[in-house]
Amino acid sequence: MTNSLAGLLVLNPDVIVVPVDELPDDTKSQIDHDPGDYALSRPQARTGSKVIDADAAALVSRFSQPRSVSEAVILFARERELDPMAVLEGAHALVRTLVDGGFLLRSDAVDDARRHTAQGPLYPVGTPLLGGTVQRTLAVLEDTELAVLGRDGAASVVKIDRTAVGVDPSVRAMMAARVRHEAAYLAHLDGTIAPRLVNTGAHDDRCYIEMELVHGVDAAAAAAEARTSEGEPGRHALLGLARQIARAYSNLHQRGVLHGDVHPRNVLIESSGLVRLVDFGVASTTAPHELLPTATVRGGIPFFFEPELARSSLARTSVFASEAGEQYAVAALLWFLVTGSYCQQFRLGRDAMLEDIATGALRSFAECGAAPWPALEAVLTRALAKDPRLRFASMDEFSNALESVDTPQHEAKSARWCASRAPLDEAIASATPEGAWWNSTLTPGPAASITYGAAGIAMGMLHIAQRRNEATALAVSDLWARRALRESRRDDAFHNAAIQITPEVVGGASPFHAVSGVHAVAALVAAAQGDPVSQAEAVAEFVASTGDGSTGLDLTVGLSSVALGAALILDELGPVPSIDVAALRARGDQAIASMWCDLDARPSIAKADIEYLGIAHGWAGFLYASLLWSERSGSDLPEGVERRLTELARLAMPTGRGAEWPWMLHRGSQMTMPGWCNGTCGYVFLWNLAHRRVGRTEYAALADRAAWHAWEAPEPGPSLCCGLSGRAYSLLNHYRHTGDAQWRARAEQLAHRALGDPDQNDQFPHSLYKGRLGLAILLADLDCPEESSMPFFEPSPRR
């Protein structure tokens, strides 16, 4: 729709103006710009960003309040002592472009635009919609929004019109036609290459499409993951991805459909590697079809435009989608995915970029910063021929040519695991009797606990001793276990009000935060040393110290923590007559029985008054402790476990190739995290244990989806509790459970990220769960991943 330049114009409230020099380096590297240029963008718009020079930015700034074009030009020209008529002539094209792109609006439309921008999603998380509930907002654009809809434990995606009800009827009619158009193509494809159509219609006088939720990430994310694997394995993964995408488009063309909107976000990769194409709003047919409309506009973004489309755009003429044109777009996409760079060096201005596409030369892989790959470059170069007649005869022929490409064999395979051992070496040196930790007072407290203090260092050194089979490290572990017992008499042994670790919060029974943990670690160290007398004493002290003082139910301070500690100790007990196993079993049974007496009286998880869901403080922790105690003690599972597992499974929120769970159920229900304490990686341990203990295949699927999110999430931080080290341990757990070596490799990559993370807990560097000690132990475990276990949470897999 053409907008008039008459009347008063004003900057759209959603416009962001940023000096290009202030953009991140990786963004600037993709932009052809000069010093002093500015970038204009609209986050919710479909139009791309614009780069303008400083003079143009100064002119645009005149529209910060409503002005006519002539007034803005006169003010600008007067300030610069320029001829207003010359400025007006030169600025006309710029202003027209900004009006057409929605950067400038008529002043009488700005209030509606401001309300639209501030409004956010029309259907926020928790809103009832189409018989379900909105679980997640995926995107909010000017004209549509996408949301994940949960209904009866299943999930779907709803794309719904968000244009204002009172706008020009032709605009709403256009949106309704676009919805009908996409629905027709989804119905035709029937869930094979694209999402399955669930329903289409109108709600609140807004047209919508409901479709199958694809559990995948976009092609750019999948390719970036593959590029992190060096040498032959990485190239093999990239080639497999390229083949799958080409085959998907070949199948699409065989169904008589042209996508018409090729770019990375419209290609989703499922965890199995299956490719699904999305967004068929501008699809068309390869031949007339009585049930399928033909698009009158083209989609996509210029980086993947074919030359014939670029030439027609420059000439301001129309060109329809074609099989040869889509082949070019797919080849340009594959080039970008394999190399991480575009196949040409583009200038950012639209016309300049179109000229580059029409006439510019291709770069080589080497010029894109990637290792040469002659066979693949040759196939892609043919598909990227400027003359459509020189490309492959069809997408099927292009796809077959990719099948004949081999992964270069001369490249050295990357090492399975190679990383700096500095944190591990530093931790060992600090823990020895000559080291910094041993010769400090571990202040501020807590000085003795597993989570923060000496017992945690003892636990860490025990892990290192067992993984390295080192008697010296075991002796150091014993020294710290004895020191933890001495430190337990200090006033700050287990508490520190400054970090909210108080008796009221943590109680007096939790192994993580009380003297019971000191005794638990002493029992584990004694078992490793083959010292039955010390082991029996420590077990008796553990049982005595957990008799009362539990605060609630959770895994870090409540009854679940007692059951967890009892299970870990019981798992290490040998056939020693002097150890009172009956008392330890009774303590574990009592903790589980008391916990389930409480839980069985509560309504469903979704309605219960327990806020947290995760491992450390919520339902996942209750269930993990119950399953682990049952497995290690041989006792029956509480009757309510499977019912609660089913309820917890229904609260999964799809994301990427995986799933995550809300941090808190009734407050901030969309707030999530990937870490162990309140986030997704804790669920990997839970669902794998549930699958091992109960055997239901859906639990294995949930563990897999949780593992995917623990891997994909971008959040940093090296700690066991909330960061990358805990997430790496969850992927090692999944590796051992599934036998899939890719999860071991992903755990190693998370460890690499943790090594490079500058975030350090300077206050508690020696803390097992909060400091970098946890990362040091992870590095030792990664040397023998089949024997790895998250400290004082997982039992040793050797038993």
Side-chain angles (χ1 to χ4, degrees), residues 135-136 148-150 153-156 213-217 270-272 648-661 673-674 679-685 687-688 697-713 730-731 734 737-738 743 746:
Q135 289 186 327
R136 183 185 298 279
V148 175
L149 187 67
S156 59
L213 172 66
V214 175
H215 296 283
V217 293
E270 296 184 331
S271 58
S272 64
L648 189 60
R650 288 176 177 168
L651 295 172
M653 301 193 307
T655 178
R657 287 171 285 191
E660 56 186 337
W661 281 257
M673 67 172 292
T680 315
C681 85
Y683 293 88
V684 180
F685 299 102
W687 295 118
N688 276 329
T697 57
E698 55 263 43
Y699 296 156
L702 285 165
D704 201 62
R705 292 174 63 191
W708 274 111
H709 181 252
W711 160 241
E712 292 173 352
S730 75
L731 301 191
H734 203 51
H737 189 76
T738 63
W743 291 110
R746 291 175 182 131

Side-chain angles (χ1 to χ4, degrees), residues 38 40 51-62 76 80 94 98:
Y38 286 75
L40 277 67
V51 172
I52 58 178
D53 61 26
D55 287 341
L59 174 61
V60 168
S61 69
R62 297 295 178 181
F76 173 80
R80 302 297 177 94
L94 170 66
L98 296 180

Side-chain angles (χ1 to χ4, degrees), residues 435-590:
W437 295 347
W438 185 264
N439 292 294
S440 72
T441 56
L442 299 184
T443 56
S449 70
I450 285 180
T451 301
Y452 287 100
I457 299 175
M459 191 73 217
M461 293 305 296
L462 174 61
H463 260 251
I464 293 168
Q466 291 174 326
R467 300 302 171 262
R468 293 187 161 193
N469 196 27
E470 288 185 1
T472 301
L474 183 58
V476 172
S477 174
D478 182 54
L479 288 174
W480 278 101
R482 295 175 187 277
R483 175 169 170 172
L485 188 60
R486 295 195 305 273
E487 300 278 8
S488 66
R489 303 182 183 93
R490 285 172 46 171
D491 292 339
D492 64 348
F494 303 105
H495 305 128
N496 183 347
I499 56 173
Q500 299 180 331
I501 303 297
T502 64
E504 295 76 20
V505 172
V506 300
S510 165
F512 287 100
H513 296 285
V515 71
S516 62
V518 174
H519 299 308
V521 171
L524 298 175
V525 171
Q529 291 179 314
D531 181 354
V533 175
S534 297
Q535 191 177 7
E537 292 176 353
V539 170
E541 292 290 349
F542 173 83
V543 172
S545 62
T546 53
D548 53 30
S550 294
T551 300
L553 307 174
D554 73 48
L555 190 80
T556 53
V557 301
L559 288 167
S560 296
S561 70
V562 174
L564 172 68
L568 295 175
I569 296 171
L570 185 63
D571 192 61
E572 294 294 333
L573 289 179
V576 181
S578 60
I579 299 178
D580 189 355
V581 176
L584 183 64
R585 286 181 175 276
R587 176 62 73 240
D589 286 339
Q590 181 186 48

Side-chain angles (χ1 to χ4, degrees), residues 185-468:
Y185 278 89
L186 292 179
H188 172 72
L189 295 172
D190 196 26
T192 51
I193 308 159
R196 179 178 56 84
L197 179 67
V198 175
N199 201 1
T200 184
H203 177 79
D204 292 341
D205 199 28
R206 300 179 185 277
C207 50
Y208 73 87
I209 304 172
E210 183 181 359
M211 64 196 99
E212 171 193 7
L213 172 66
V214 175
H215 296 283
V217 293
D218 67 52
E225 177 185 323
R227 291 197 302 271
T228 61
S229 298
E230 299 175 355
E232 188 176 332
R235 290 206 154 189
H236 182 74
L238 287 168
L239 181 59
L241 178 63
R243 287 170 172 170
Q244 288 275 40
I245 293 172
R247 182 57 60 192
Y249 275 98
S250 174
N251 292 339
L252 185 70
H253 288 191
Q254 290 173 17
R255 297 289 299 268
V257 174
L258 297 171
H259 189 196
D261 200 359
V262 178
H263 63 77
R265 293 189 302 277
N266 282 346
V267 180
L268 299 184
I269 314 300
E270 296 184 331
S271 58
S272 64
L274 182 67
V275 172
R276 307 291 289 280
L277 307 179
V278 298
D279 200 347
F280 284 80
V282 292
S284 57
T285 58
T286 57
H289 193 289
E290 60 179 329
L291 297 179
L292 296 176
T294 296
T296 58
V297 297
R298 283 293 305 275
I301 55 179
F303 295 118
F304 309 106
F305 279 4
E306 64 269 29
E308 50 269 39
L309 174 59
R311 287 190 287 268
S312 70
S313 297
L314 286 168
R316 304 299 189 259
T317 60
S318 298
V319 64
F320 291 103
S322 68
E323 292 179 76
E326 191 143 284
Q327 179 188 145
Y328 182 101
V330 172
L333 171 64
L334 298 186
W335 189 293
F336 171 72
L337 298 178
V338 172
T339 68
S341 297
Y342 298 114
C343 60
Q344 293 181 230
Q345 185 69 53
F346 295 117
R347 293 170 288 170
L348 192 66
R350 182 176 176 83
D351 283 359
M353 178 180 284
L354 293 173
E355 290 171 1
D356 292 338
I357 296 168
T359 61
L362 293 179
R363 299 194 287 177
S364 66
F365 273 25
E367 290 171 319
C368 292
W373 196 341
L376 180 57
E377 290 180 66
V379 172
L380 294 179
T381 297
R382 179 176 174 185
L384 290 166
K386 301 295 183 184
D387 186 342
R389 295 170 297 181
L390 300 179
R391 298 171 198 156
F392 292 98
S394 64
M395 272 300 306
D396 190 54
E397 187 176 316
F398 175 33
S399 178
N400 289 338
L402 287 174
E403 294 294 335
S404 66
V405 173
D406 291 327
T407 304
Q409 298 296 313
H410 64 275
E411 295 185 26
K413 293 186 178 180
S414 59
R416 200 197 81 184
W417 167 240
C418 180
S420 167
R421 292 299 194 271
L424 176 56
D425 295 338
E426 289 169 7
I428 293 172
S430 297
T432 60
E434 298 80 24
W437 295 347
W438 185 264
N439 292 294
S440 72
T441 56
L442 299 184
T443 56
S449 70
I450 285 180
T451 301
Y452 287 100
I457 299 175
M459 191 73 217
M461 293 305 296
L462 174 61
H463 260 251
I464 293 168
Q466 291 174 326
R467 300 302 171 262
R468 293 187 161 193

Side-chain angles (χ1 to χ4, degrees), residues 637-678:
L637 276 175
E639 291 184 5
V641 166
E642 290 204 59
R643 174 168 64 92
R644 299 303 193 179
L645 286 169
T646 299
E647 292 171 357
L648 189 60
R650 288 176 177 168
L651 295 172
M653 301 193 307
T655 178
R657 287 171 285 191
E660 56 186 337
W661 281 257
W663 183 333
M664 291 179 289
L665 194 57
H666 305 300
R667 293 179 293 163
S669 60
Q670 198 177 21
M671 185 169 62
T672 63
M673 67 172 292
W676 173 83
C677 53
N678 292 299

